[in-house]
Amino acid sequence: MRKVCIIIFCVICAVLITSCGADQAMKKGDKFFAVGEYFDAAAQYRKAYSHTPNKEREKKGQRAMKMAECYRRIHFTSKAISAYQNAIRYKQDDSLTHFYLGQLQMRNGNYREAEKQFQMAADSLPFEDPHRQLALTGLKSAKQAAQWKKDGSAYTIKRIDLFNSRRAEYSPMLGGDEDNQLYFTSTRNQAQGDEYSGITGSKNADIFLSQKDDKGKWSKPQTIDSELNSELDEGACCFSPDGRSMYLTICKTDPNYPRYATIAVSSRSDAAWSKPKELTISKDTLSSFAHPAISPDGEWLYFVSDMPGGLGGLDIWRCRLIGNETGAPENLGEPVNTPGDEMFPTFRPNGDFYFSSDGHPGLGGLDIYILKERKLEHPGFPLNSQGDDFGMTFEGKRNQGYFCSNRGDTRGYDHIYSFFNPEIVQTVKGWVYEQDGYELTAAQVYMVGNDGTNQKLSVRGDGSFTQEIKPNVDYVFLATCKGFLNHQEQLRVEPVTKSEEYVLQFPLANISAPVLIENIFYDFDKATLRPESATALDELVRLLNENPNITIELSAHTDYKGSDAYNERLSQRRAESVVNYLIEHGIASDRLTPKGYGEGKPKTIKRKVAERYPFLKEGDVLSEAYITTLSEEQQEQCNQLNRRTEFIVLRTTYGLFDKAGRLIQIPKPKESSKESDQTQPSELW
């Protein structure tokens, strides 16, 4: 009898200890859940669930439900499905249980079961509940997903193992002047800090970088050696059009409060990124701001937030960038936002807007959608899958680049994939630079087409720009930069059967420095212009017509051979020959001053000239004393450089004022007409 009592006592103690352990685990789990640490919370709820006797059905089901909520939020799909099914088995389910289970079955590719669960949710949810609308959308998705997969699309995708690890990689973003840098976010072991996140069970994310070499091969991803990363969560970055500013998401850590994401800005100095500074979008301190994207014109910041005033869940918003500050946030509304979650906005360089959502009909999880002229497109399978698909970045103007997806990963980790769509894309690539000098990164390019196109294009750090163009359109491009003369190019785009890129050069003449006129030829020892000079002279006529308010000094120069007086007379006659040509072709004579300098102003070498002649360096002056120190071949090359024709701008106000000094009213240029193909280039501005 005594032994029986002891056994009963031990059993009671074990039950009490187990019960206390389960309750304690629930308290810990609730504490983790309150601050968003769902990975740690799930571990505690699982412990509590396993220690709860089966006969306590209500408590068992409630703890299964808590566990399911955590697994769903950290994308442990299979575990979440099992936990929800246990909640149903213990009769602790509600309408939202079936709605979430439908979403999870979509992620699992089990469309028939998803249809069943969405139907149950739609039948039981109140009519005005936004989850009912999402359940009906899910029902439509479940019925059509199998056919969408079967239909497929022109996209081809490939997982890029070089960029991926055993942890998560997401939000790739191409950067650099030639798209030769790939930034992405990762929780791999090389991320800073030693602690693991209670939200994901991984390390806090950092931004990593891979670079492409001259042969097109990507390097192994490396950490970024600057103050960009820290022990906090950094990621989901994007760049301003000029590539000098990085916008990124940072999640601060506080053990007592939920995590709120913020957007910060880092500036590039040489090759290093500065420590990010938080960007104040709103005074709302209880909302998250994440996933930044900059519009192609650099004027708008797009972002994701759960701030009040949205359509439900996470919405995409935008605000105007005003220097280092922002304007009032605007919700994008329909057709982009839904009662579900819309995230990861980005732009294709042609202006098409991409984002991911679980609130529109799709294949499961987050699907990628495209907004073109207020019309929403679903790019189909295989770009989209039953998993989460998001984070597009484009390589140039073509429909190719990288994105991320957690398809096929049982742990819910995201990985980087490449994508390619063989659509025909015609682009123009232009280079804006000082004649014989450096690239002009402060330049602006204006593009006008006879189809009504009128755009301002930004120039990248190497002085280049790339823009998509349309067939059967006549374009005019005008490059401008403060301190330089304008330069204009025209382009007629014909239909093609494969993608094609046109290349245009925009050498801008410096207002304050001599500008070389290349390919001007005279008869030997004479001032007579040779016929092959016409092309260069006609270009000069065009330049003067494009800049009607300038006057120039047209100068001719000789080498040091011959007497000073003879060289001066010869160069003067040559300068006058060029001026006479310009006058004959419609340039007013009072805009032109001929001047012959003989050998008196030897050429000063600029960077581009130094690149062509390795024995010269930038800043060298080709005086007689300098040239005579060189080899015979090098002396002749320098003498050729000295025998040149140049111009320098004297005034930039010609024709703007009358004799009394009053500003003359300049008539407005004629507006371009879509119907007329006869519009002159000067009328387009």
Side-chain angles (χ1 to χ4, degrees):
M1 184 65 180
R2 185 179 178 185
K3 289 182 179 180
V4 172
C5 291
I6 292 172
I7 293 171
I8 293 172
F9 176 77
C10 291
V11 169
I12 292 172
C13 288
V15 170
L16 290 174
I17 291 171
T18 301
S19 177
C20 289
D23 291 341
Q24 191 67 23
M26 284 299 298
K27 288 181 180 179
K28 289 182 179 180
D30 288 341
K31 184 177 179 180
F32 287 133
F33 191 93
V35 294
E37 296 183 346
Y38 303 118
F39 182 86
D40 288 347
Q44 295 299 322
Y45 291 145
R46 182 179 180 181
K47 179 179 179 181
Y49 176 83
S50 63
H51 288 167
T52 303
N54 291 339
K55 63 181 180 180
E56 297 183 31
R57 298 182 62 83
E58 181 178 348
K59 189 177 290 187
K60 191 92 169 175
Q62 291 171 350
R63 292 173 178 177
M65 182 68 77
K66 291 262 191 175
M67 189 165 49
E69 286 292 298
C70 292
Y71 285 140
R72 176 177 65 84
R73 292 167 189 253
I74 59 177
H75 305 305
F76 283 21
T77 301
S78 297
K79 290 184 176 182
I81 290 174
S82 297
Y84 276 124
Q85 288 174 339
N86 283 333
I88 294 172
R89 181 158 62 96
Y90 290 111
K91 301 188 183 303
Q92 295 302 307
D93 57 311
D94 55 20
S95 301
L96 285 181
T97 303
H98 297 282
F99 168 71
Y100 291 134
L101 197 50
Q103 288 187 323
L104 291 164
Q105 293 291 6
M106 289 288 293
R107 288 177 177 272
N108 220 25
N110 191 343
Y111 297 128
R112 287 188 177 181
E113 183 60 29
E115 181 180 346
K116 175 183 172 183
Q117 296 297 330
F118 281 133
Q119 187 67 65
M120 292 174 66
D123 290 342
S124 57
L125 283 165
F127 184 82
E128 67 279 2
D129 192 325
H131 287 96
R132 184 176 186 275
Q133 179 182 335
L134 291 172
L136 292 172
T137 301
L139 186 60
K140 179 181 179 181
S141 300
K143 290 179 177 180
Q144 297 181 352
Q147 186 61 44
W148 286 339
K149 270 192 167 183
K150 184 178 179 181
D151 292 342
S153 69
Y155 282 91
T156 57
I157 67 163
K158 180 182 179 181
R159 178 166 162 164
I160 309 300
D161 291 334
L162 175 66
F163 301 146
N164 296 314
S165 69
R166 299 180 63 184
R167 295 292 182 173
E169 286 79 31
Y170 57 94
S171 294
M173 183 57 59
L174 285 162
D177 295 328
E178 296 293 330
D179 289 333
N180 57 354
Q181 299 174 339
L182 185 74
Y183 295 79
F184 62 89
T185 309
S186 179
T187 60
R188 61 185 61 196
N189 292 334
Q190 289 78 18
Q192 293 188 25
D194 298 322
E195 296 184 2
Y196 283 75
S197 168
I199 299 175
T200 63
S202 303
K203 296 182 75 171
N204 285 337
D206 275 352
I207 298 174
F208 288 78
L209 172 64
S210 176
Q211 301 195 67
K212 187 188 291 185
D213 62 21
D214 294 338
K215 297 180 180 179
K217 184 178 180 181
W218 289 103
S219 67
K220 184 179 179 181
Q222 301 290 331
T223 56
I224 297 176
D225 188 19
S226 73
E227 295 182 286
L228 181 68
N229 291 314
S230 70
E231 294 186 0
L232 302 178
D233 246 326
E234 293 95 7
C237 68
C238 71
F239 302 101
S240 58
D242 61 9
R244 297 172 186 172
S245 297
M246 176 193 290
Y247 295 78
L248 65 153
T249 306
I250 296 179
C251 290
K252 298 180 179 179
T253 303
D254 192 319
N256 300 314
Y257 294 96
R259 282 185 166 192
Y260 292 104
T262 60
I263 292 175
V265 185
S266 172
S267 300
R268 188 179 66 182
S269 176
D270 295 327
W273 291 100
S274 66
K275 184 177 181 179
K277 295 181 180 179
E278 185 174 336
L279 184 68
T280 302
I281 297 175
S282 169
K283 294 181 180 180
D284 180 357
T285 59
L286 299 178
S287 298
S288 289
F289 303 91
H291 308 166
I294 304 297
S295 61
D297 60 11
E299 294 186 2
W300 293 90
L301 169 68
Y302 287 70
F303 60 93
V304 173
S305 180
D306 56 358
M307 62 194 298
L311 300 188
L314 295 171
D315 274 13
I316 297 176
W317 300 67
R318 74 172 188 171
C319 60
R320 189 176 290 277
L321 290 171
I322 310 168
N324 296 323
E325 299 181 354
T326 62
E330 304 173 6
N331 189 280
L332 292 196
E334 297 178 343
V336 172
N337 291 321
T338 69
D341 289 334
E342 282 69 46
M343 297 187 280
F344 299 99
T346 191
F347 283 91
R348 187 175 169 183
N350 68 359
D352 291 345
F353 181 63
Y354 286 69
F355 67 98
S356 293
S357 171
D358 63 7
H360 293 283
L363 296 174
L366 290 171
D367 270 22
I368 294 167
Y369 297 86
I370 312 168
L371 185 68
K372 296 181 180 179
E373 299 177 354
R374 300 300 296 174
K375 293 182 180 179
L376 210 58
E377 295 182 12
H378 184 275
F381 180 82
L383 185 65
N384 285 315
S385 70
Q386 65 199 43
D388 289 329
D389 307 292
F390 60 98
M392 304 281 284
T393 185
F394 294 86
E395 196 169 358
K397 295 291 182 177
R398 297 186 180 181
N399 199 349
Q400 65 185 42
Y402 300 92
F403 74 110
C404 53
S405 176
N406 61 9
R407 64 186 72 186
D409 193 299
T410 56
R411 300 163 299 176
Y413 289 150
D414 304 303
H415 301 292
I416 295 174
Y417 292 75
S418 67
F419 71 89
F420 172 67
N421 187 325
E423 65 185 26
I424 297 175
V425 179
Q426 290 178 273
T427 59
V428 59
K429 184 164 189 175
W431 303 87
V432 187
Y433 54 92
E434 178 186 3
Q435 286 189 359
D436 288 335
Y438 294 91
E439 58 274 358
L440 296 173
T441 59
Q444 289 284 350
V445 178
Y446 297 88
M447 180 178 79
V448 174
N450 63 355
D451 64 338
T453 299
N454 195 328
Q455 290 181 253
K456 181 173 73 173
L457 311 178
S458 296
V459 172
R460 292 193 286 259
D462 63 346
S464 71
F465 68 88
T466 305
Q467 178 62 35
E468 186 172 347
I469 49 181
K470 301 174 184 177
N472 297 316
V473 178
D474 294 318
Y475 290 99
V476 177
F477 296 86
L478 181 71
T480 68
C481 188
K482 186 176 181 180
F484 295 84
L485 299 183
N486 298 337
H487 183 91
Q488 180 179 291
E489 291 288 340
Q490 299 181 45
L491 179 66
R492 168 68 181 177
V493 184
E494 302 290 349
V496 294
T497 57
K498 62 179 182 179
S499 295
E500 187 170 341
E501 183 174 75
Y502 303 85
V503 177
L504 298 176
Q505 302 285 340
F506 295 85
L508 301 193
N510 194 322
I511 289 176
S512 58
V515 178
L516 175 68
I517 310 170
E518 295 190 273
N519 300 319
I520 300 293
F521 305 101
Y522 307 91
D523 288 339
F524 177 72
D525 210 25
K526 295 181 181 179
T528 308
L529 286 165
R530 292 168 59 179
E532 54 264 42
S533 303
T535 300
L537 291 171
D538 290 343
E539 281 294 313
L540 181 55
V541 170
R542 191 177 79 157
L543 177 68
L544 291 167
N545 284 328
E546 290 171 1
N547 298 270
N549 302 119
I550 67 168
T551 64
I552 64 170
E553 176 189 273
L554 198 293
S555 61
H557 305 262
T558 67
D559 57 32
Y560 62 82
K561 297 176 182 179
S563 69
D564 291 351
Y566 176 80
N567 285 337
E568 221 172 280
R569 288 195 304 272
L570 177 63
S571 61
Q572 180 66 31
R573 296 201 314 273
R574 287 179 169 178
E576 290 171 354
S577 293
V578 175
V579 165
N580 290 335
Y581 184 97
L582 300 178
I583 293 172
E584 290 171 4
H585 286 76
I587 304 301
S589 60
D590 58 348
R591 296 179 62 193
L592 308 168
T593 302
K595 178 64 177 176
Y597 285 98
E599 61 183 277
K601 285 194 173 183
K603 185 175 180 65
T604 300
I605 299 301
K606 291 188 177 181
R607 188 188 68 166
K608 284 188 175 290
V609 177
E611 290 173 354
R612 295 201 305 266
Y613 299 92
F615 67 93
L616 297 174
K617 63 180 183 295
E618 186 176 1
D620 283 347
V621 179
L622 303 186
S623 63
E624 181 178 358
Y626 175 83
I627 293 175
T628 54
T629 65
L630 304 174
S631 69
E632 185 174 341
E633 180 183 357
Q634 291 171 346
Q635 287 185 36
E636 180 52 33
Q637 289 174 327
C638 289
N639 285 329
Q640 288 178 1
L641 291 173
N642 270 334
R643 297 191 292 265
R644 68 198 189 277
T645 303
E646 296 176 333
F647 73 85
I648 189 169
V649 176
L650 300 177
R651 291 170 52 206
T652 59
T653 58
Y654 176 83
L656 294 181
F657 300 91
D658 61 18
K659 293 181 178 179
R662 295 186 296 261
L663 181 66
I664 298 172
Q665 182 66 36
I666 302 174
K668 293 182 179 179
K670 292 169 62 177
E671 293 185 1
S672 60
S673 169
K674 291 184 181 180
E675 289 76 20
S676 173
D677 290 336
Q678 305 303 315
T679 305
Q680 297 301 312
S682 60
E683 296 174 340
L684 293 173
W685 310 105

